[in-house]
Amino acid sequence: KQEVTQIPAALSVPEGENLVLNCSFTDSAIYNLQWFRQDPGKGLTSLLLIQSSQREQTSGRLNASLDKSSGRSTLYIAASQPGDSATYLCAVMTTDSWGKFQFGAGTQVVVTP
Amino acid sequence: NAGVMQNPRHLVRRRGQEARLRCSPMKGHSHVYWYRQLPEEGLKFMVYLQKENIIDESGMPKERFSAEFPKEGPSILRIQQVVRGDSAAYFCASSPGTARSTEAFFGQGTRLTVV
């Protein structure tokens, strides 16, 4: 059974610092991995999707890497801003559960001005 | 292209009543997923549907919960005889479902409160 863990559970940084969020998964037979952002009381916003054949994806200040063999993905957010404050969720789709995402518990990020 | 639309955004039901949650997927998406987020817990998969078919309902409670995605109209998640433990945020997601793209897009959720 796939288990997804996100460390740390919470993170507070001053504005301008780079953010590093970690996601680990136990079953490396994944189809893809997706990073989301969730604001309090809101839905999920898709940030980046990495297919299993890819090593990384980039969008603006965001970069996500994937190492299937070690069961890890890292989300980097460069030059953090107060508007980046949110909970970041990692979700994995395994090849034997196509269409079903297994979510981590999330990392709650606070960027202080 | 409108995103995934869920309604209502907030729903209050008394114990024993029925709750109906609606989800309209993004245009061109034929796959719908329902997830539940209990207070202080992560998102848990409930059910995966295509038009007129349930593909995977392994996360659905065995009783009182049902889901459908008819040929026409939105997907419906139905909870009969609600109890306090059903209070949660219910999220719907959709995707094209093709082998080339399984990226999921989520709606804003329906927050169900059972009183």
Side-chain angles (χ1 to χ4, degrees):
Chain A
K1 179 189 171 188
Q2 178 74 272
E3 292 186 6
V4 181
T5 304
Q6 290 188 247
I7 294 173
L11 183 60
S12 180
V13 298
E15 182 177 3
E17 272 199 16
N18 297 332
L19 285 163
V20 180
L21 309 179
N22 298 300
C23 172
S24 62
F25 46 94
T26 55
D27 184 352
S28 62
I30 67 169
Y31 193 81
N32 60 37
L33 183 148
Q34 194 166 352
W35 282 94
F36 295 89
R37 167 189 172 134
Q38 185 176 27
D39 294 282
K42 305 287 186 183
L44 279 70
T45 301
S46 176
L47 297 175
L48 290 167
L49 171 73
I50 312 178
Q51 302 287 359
S52 63
S53 58
Q54 298 174 318
R55 295 298 300 269
E56 67 176 350
Q57 279 283 3
T58 298
S59 175
R61 295 184 294 113
L62 275 60
N63 174 277
S65 65
L66 174 65
D67 184 342
K68 271 199 318 179
S69 60
S70 65
R72 291 179 185 174
S73 176
T74 302
L75 178 66
Y76 300 89
I77 303 177
S80 61
Q81 304 168 358
D84 294 328
S85 298
T87 296
Y88 292 82
L89 298 165
C90 164
V92 173
M93 184 186 296
T94 52
T95 54
D96 64 351
S97 297
W98 200 88
K100 180 166 83 176
F101 281 105
Q102 185 72 32
F103 278 85
T107 294
Q108 187 174 8
V109 171
V110 174
V111 180
T112 55
Chain B
N1 186 8
V4 177
M5 303 300 291
Q6 289 189 249
N7 67 81
R9 292 288 306 277
H10 299 275
L11 182 61
V12 179
R13 284 287 177 267
R14 296 186 184 279
R15 282 179 295 171
Q17 290 185 321
E18 178 180 286
R20 281 186 175 238
L21 288 62
R22 294 175 181 75
C23 170
S24 295
M26 287 180 70
K27 187 177 180 181
H29 287 191
S30 58
H31 294 226
V32 165
Y33 319 86
W34 286 93
Y35 288 80
R36 178 165 66 173
Q37 189 172 38
L38 291 165
E40 307 304 322
E41 292 189 22
L43 279 105
K44 303 294 184 188
F45 168 82
M46 298 183 75
V47 63
Y48 165 27
L49 309 114
Q50 294 179 24
K51 287 280 187 182
E52 300 184 282
N53 284 306
I54 297 175
I55 306 302
D56 184 341
E57 57 180 349
S58 58
M60 288 278 272
K62 293 287 187 284
E63 298 177 348
R64 302 187 297 108
F65 285 72
S66 63
E68 63 176 4
F69 188 17
K71 186 177 180 180
E72 302 289 339
S75 175
I76 307 286
L77 178 67
R78 182 182 178 205
I79 311 172
Q80 295 178 291
Q81 298 176 320
V82 297
V83 300
R84 289 243 169 92
D86 297 333
S87 295
Y90 292 83
F91 291 97
C92 168
S94 73
S95 75
T98 64
R100 295 179 66 181
S101 177
T102 55
E103 184 173 8
F105 296 88
F106 279 74
Q108 293 294 300
T110 292
R111 279 150 185 87
L112 173 66
T113 303
V114 179
V115 297

